Amino acid sequence: MDRLNLEKYFETEKQRQFGTDFFQDAEHYEVWDEIDFSNLEEVDGENTFEIKAEDMIYYARGCLDDNPLMVDEEYAKNSPYGELLPHPLFVTQIIFWCVGVRGRGNWIRTPGARNPGQYMEYYEPFRVGEVIHLKLRPYDRFVKRGKYYLQYKIDAYNQDNVKKCTCISTLILPRTREDIRKFLRGQRGLAD
Amino acid sequence: MHKIQFDSIEPGYQLPSFTRSVSQEVFWKYAVASFDYNPVHCDPDWVRTAQPFGIPQTVAHGMMTMSFMMSVVTNWAYPAMLKITKTESKFVKPVLPGWTITCKGVVSEKHVICPGKNYVVIDVRAENQDGELVGLSRTEVQFPD
């Protein structure tokens, strides 16, 4: 996908660091029918995420939101909040960063995955300067109308272990590793 | 910034809508913003044959559609210093490049608990330019004391 030259859209330090190729290491992505649901132990995300103002601002801009509380640092500092507010789905950026390429939960990168809907609970807003880490564990796996759903519970904490947010992350996935390989070859690997 | 009194809000109250047009460039920019570079959103060549949605076109990130639905809520709640505590979404139809998405929110429930814990539920519908439903969300918004 590097041939698409997405670099021209990069604005932040993390955007310049994060790999854009979701085919890279896809052979190591967790697969629907291989995840061990007999072991529901929480695991750490691969990376931590130090929140910078630019991370919050460019998430909001990326979803075409121009609310000054989320995109104008000076305006937000002079508001009753006294600081930038995150878009509620800013956690999406944090999750992709923290899961990384090789970490548990890397099935969220699976080429061909479909998003049926998501669930999130918020306890404290994310703040500039915090260092966020994730705890992940398998939550559910089910078949519905011929589609293969996978869910992980993902909790986000700051550097003081204050829980900020819980997500039940859900995707419809290719069932087997061979189905993923079909997608890697540009063939269809999902049932209708 | 403005204040919204819990007593002044009743089920049926409609929030200002949020409308945005999307394109392949918007999908790319959202991929950069979210770090979700899945080829189903970013790679028109790949999707022509792989067709995860059964169509030979890229589709918008579900999280972008959900972000649009959340913006209906934040544009109303954030200036009033109301707190979003919970949200869930369902994506009904893939969003294609060239579409215009309009999200409309309405207060569907009013939960009278006690000062500081009172909250409302806002249901948001996202529709394309032809009025077809593409997404739904349900968000809880808590009022301060």
Side-chain angles (χ1 to χ4, degrees):
Chain A
M1 237 182 305
D2 288 334
R3 70 179 186 276
L4 297 174
N5 191 25
L6 298 182
E7 290 85 350
K8 63 187 171 191
Y9 302 119
F10 293 172
E11 303 272 3
T12 73
E13 187 184 329
K14 290 188 186 71
Q15 288 168 2
R16 283 184 277 273
Q17 287 179 25
F18 195 82
T20 63
D21 185 358
F22 273 30
F23 293 146
Q24 180 198 352
D25 288 325
E27 277 289 331
H28 300 283
Y29 291 170
E30 292 174 297
V31 177
W32 189 91
D33 69 351
E34 294 177 10
I35 290 178
D36 181 7
F37 269 80
S38 67
N39 176 10
L40 298 179
E41 191 179 346
E42 276 190 337
V43 297
D44 293 322
E46 186 175 75
N47 305 306
T48 59
F49 188 109
E50 181 179 353
I51 299 175
K52 296 186 175 179
E54 63 179 14
D55 301 324
M56 284 191 189
I57 290 168
Y58 285 100
Y59 181 81
R61 287 189 177 169
C63 53
L64 309 182
D65 197 316
D66 54 7
N67 187 327
L69 291 166
M70 294 190 274
V71 301
D72 184 336
E73 202 171 3
E74 279 307 304
Y75 178 92
K77 278 182 180 167
N78 291 316
S79 75
Y81 290 102
E83 60 185 350
L84 269 179
L85 299 187
H87 189 286
L89 297 196
F90 171 61
V91 67
T92 308
Q93 184 189 114
I94 293 175
I95 288 174
F96 273 96
W97 178 273
C98 290
V99 164
V101 178
R102 291 288 186 113
R104 287 288 297 275
N106 62 4
W107 53 270
I108 64 171
R109 299 166 57 94
T110 306
R114 295 165 54 162
N115 185 346
Q118 302 296 325
Y119 175 88
M120 297 169 185
E121 281 185 53
Y122 304 97
Y123 314 112
E124 293 283 336
F126 292 109
R127 294 194 160 89
V128 173
E130 288 183 314
V131 179
I132 305 300
H133 64 276
L134 301 184
K135 296 279 188 187
L136 308 96
R137 70 171 178 82
Y139 185 75
D140 200 359
R141 171 172 58 184
F142 56 96
V143 183
K144 186 176 173 184
R145 290 196 281 271
K147 298 185 179 73
Y148 296 87
Y149 291 73
L150 183 60
Q151 295 183 315
Y152 262 36
K153 181 172 180 280
I154 303 175
D155 293 313
Y157 297 84
N158 72 6
Q159 67 284 355
D160 299 319
N161 281 320
V162 173
K163 192 190 279 193
K164 311 293 285 188
C165 176
T166 294
C167 304
I168 306 297
S169 184
T170 308
L171 286 179
I172 297 168
L173 291 176
R175 186 176 69 84
T176 67
R177 196 165 294 284
E178 182 49 35
D179 292 335
I180 292 178
R181 289 185 184 123
K182 283 184 189 171
F183 273 126
L184 296 179
R185 293 193 295 265
Q187 301 165 347
R188 194 148 196 267
L190 277 177
D192 285 325
Chain B
M1 306 294 286
H2 60 272
K3 193 166 174 61
I4 300 173
Q5 298 287 348
F6 182 68
D7 291 344
S8 72
I9 302 298
E10 296 296 335
Y13 176 87
Q14 293 185 359
L15 280 64
S17 61
F18 183 90
T19 299
R20 292 292 183 271
S21 295
V22 301
S23 63
Q24 185 59 58
E25 185 170 45
V26 169
F27 298 174
W28 284 330
K29 287 182 176 176
Y30 183 79
V32 170
S34 63
F35 301 144
D36 181 352
Y37 293 100
N38 202 300
V40 69
H41 313 300
C42 296
D43 192 335
D45 288 339
W46 177 84
V47 83
R48 220 163 270 136
T49 53
Q51 301 192 20
F53 287 84
I55 51 175
Q57 287 178 275
T58 54
V59 302
H61 299 73
M63 301 311 282
M64 186 172 76
T65 303
M66 188 176 178
S67 292
F68 290 174
M69 291 192 283
M70 287 305 295
S71 291
V72 172
V73 181
T74 54
N75 283 343
W76 178 73
Y78 276 3
M81 302 196 77
L82 309 182
K83 186 179 175 188
I84 294 167
T85 55
K86 196 180 290 184
T87 189
E88 58 188 316
S89 65
K90 182 178 180 187
F91 307 119
V92 176
K93 188 181 180 76
V95 172
L96 303 181
W99 284 12
T100 297
I101 303 302
T102 297
C103 303
K104 296 174 183 170
V106 62
V107 173
S108 60
E109 299 171 23
K110 179 174 180 175
H111 293 252
V112 186
I113 311 298
C114 67
K117 292 188 175 175
N118 292 328
Y119 69 96
V120 295
V121 174
I122 297 170
D123 289 343
V124 177
R125 289 174 60 90
E127 297 176 353
N128 70 8
Q129 63 285 346
D130 297 322
E132 294 174 306
L133 183 68
V134 299
L136 295 164
S137 70
R138 179 188 191 277
T139 303
E140 295 183 7
V141 178
Q142 196 175 72
F143 282 66
D145 293 344

